[in-house]
Amino acid sequence: GGAGHSFVAGNFARLPLPRCDAIVATLALHHVKQVAAKRRLYRRCLGALRPGGLLVSGDAMPSSAPALKRAEIAGWIAHMRGTYSARQARGFLKAWAGEDRYMPLSVEVALLESAGFRVDVPWRRAPFAVVAGIKR
């Protein structure tokens, strides 16, 4: 990093988090499968952030309503069809299901709030969203 900046790379589930102004995760936090583990991670992030600090996560965060979730996943498959066949796209999602857990946006917001963040959703194109947690 540059003067006064640092970059930390490693397993976010175990890595000690340094004091910082911002934590950014893109297409990563869906690997935290358990609600309790994600809540603990968000609390650790809050503890690492300075006052006014920001946690930003961009990931798949589908609707909690089953019909909407199905439509969002169908849209995701349609997008993937620009590169892959429908069968390949469904195969990717099935393969990823073993290691990924896409928690609904409502759950992500609730977890961030329960960890102590003020939460905003600055962008959403279902099933993807960007959530921002601001340390009060």
Side-chain angles (χ1 to χ4, degrees), residues 54-57 112 117-122 130-134:
L54 184 66
L55 167 65
V56 179
S57 176
L112 285 162
F117 286 99
R118 182 170 54 83
V119 181
D120 192 10
V121 181
V130 173
V131 293
I134 300 102

Side-chain angles (χ1 to χ4, degrees), residues 59-65 68-69 72-73 102-106 124 126-128:
D59 217 320
M61 300 177 202
S63 173
S64 56
L68 285 176
K69 181 179 178 178
E72 292 168 0
I73 300 304
Y102 305 112
M103 293 186 194
L105 177 59
S106 59
R124 177 146 172 78
F128 299 96

Side-chain angles (χ1 to χ4, degrees), residues 7-83:
F7 177 79
V8 179
N11 184 326
F12 50 77
R14 294 187 294 271
L15 187 72
L17 300 174
R19 288 297 274 170
C20 58
D21 295 308
I23 298 170
V24 178
T26 307
L27 299 175
L29 299 185
H30 63 261
H31 292 289
V32 181
K33 294 182 183 185
Q34 313 306 331
V35 169
K38 190 168 271 190
R39 183 180 293 113
R40 284 191 303 273
L41 174 64
Y42 287 159
R43 286 183 179 145
R44 287 180 51 232
C45 291
L46 185 78
L49 288 167
R50 294 182 186 98
L54 184 66
L55 167 65
V56 179
S57 176
D59 217 320
M61 300 177 202
S63 173
S64 56
L68 285 176
K69 181 179 178 178
R70 282 191 300 275
E72 292 168 0
I73 300 304
W76 190 359
I77 290 170
H79 171 76
M80 292 171 67
R81 297 258 342 255
T83 306

